[in-house]
Each structure stands twice: as structure tokens, then as C-alpha cells.
Amino acid sequence: MKTRAEVGNILRESGLNVVELRAGIIIGSGSISFEMIRYTAERLPLIPHPKMLDSLCQPIGIRDVLSYLILSLEKKEADGQIIEIGGPDILRYIDMIKTYIKIKGIKKNNIPLSNK
């Protein structure tokens, strides 16, 4: 996250007209976070459930991100702004994995892991 913010600062300091859209996790093919969910759900024999998968995030669909990109080009008031974007739901990462598994019809169990 720190490097994303640094890239935004560099672009804004360049003198270019920049709109920075910030998203937690983008749901769609090609998104690194989504590919990690897909890989975990499809390839691991069991789903490990460390405490960090209980962290909350606000996913957004790739089509919604594309809509925001188009709107940011059309709306001059977006120029120079940092805009946080996200979908309507706030979810735990483990719930996103479980939802992916359910949608794909995959049969798996998760294993709670202790952080001790």
C-alpha cells in the first residue's frame, strides 16, 4: 500500500493532471488479490484460515473500476483528486474465498490456524 501511495505522489508531483483511484481489492481476472483468492480456492486441498483472513476489505468489481476510470476522464472536478473506490459490501477475506468456492461448486474445508 505504501508503494501505491508513493507512485500517486510521484505522478501528482510531475505536473501532470492526475486522478488517483484507490481500491482495496478488485474482483476480476488479472487482479493480483483476486488471483490469490482463485489460486487458494482452486489449488489448495484445504483452505488454511489464519487470523489475517478475518481482516476486512471492501472489494469492487473490475467493471465498476472501469466505470470510475471513464467517469474520472469525463468529470473535470475529479482532476487532481484522490478518490477511494469500493463496492457496497465490507467482507472478510475468508468470506470472499468461501463465496468463490461456493460459486464455483468446489468442495473444501477450511482449517483455523492459531497465531500463538
Side-chain angles (χ1 to χ4, degrees):
M1 297 300 272
K2 184 177 178 182
T3 54
R4 288 184 190 181
E6 287 178 26
V7 169
N9 288 335
I10 290 168
L11 289 172
R12 278 189 304 284
E13 290 170 0
S14 72
L16 296 172
N17 197 2
V18 175
V19 176
E20 186 176 344
L21 300 177
R22 293 183 180 174
I25 178 172
I26 298 171
I27 302 297
S29 187
S31 160
I32 296 298
S33 297
F34 179 71
E35 295 299 342
M36 288 171 39
I37 289 170
R38 181 193 326 235
Y39 183 88
T40 300
E42 293 180 358
R43 302 217 177 152
L44 297 180
L46 296 167
I47 305 300
H49 183 164
K51 191 81 172 138
M52 65 186 263
L53 289 183
D54 290 326
S55 299
L56 297 174
C57 64
Q58 191 173 5
I60 184 169
I62 187 69
R63 289 186 176 146
D64 292 329
V65 173
L66 294 174
S67 294
Y68 276 109
L69 285 170
I70 292 166
L71 280 172
S72 70
L73 291 171
E74 296 171 348
K75 303 289 183 181
K76 289 299 172 200
E77 58 266 31
D79 291 351
Q81 299 297 311
I82 297 171
I83 304 169
E84 301 284 342
I85 60 174
D89 300 317
I90 297 175
L91 304 170
R92 299 179 310 150
Y93 281 92
I94 191 66
D95 294 331
M96 285 191 294
I97 294 170
K98 288 177 180 179
T99 300
Y100 183 89
I101 287 170
K102 183 178 179 181
I103 289 169
K104 288 294 196 172
I106 301 168
K107 304 276 188 247
K108 295 212 180 171
N109 292 318
N110 67 54
I111 303 172
L113 302 175
S114 173
N115 285 343
K116 294 180 182 180

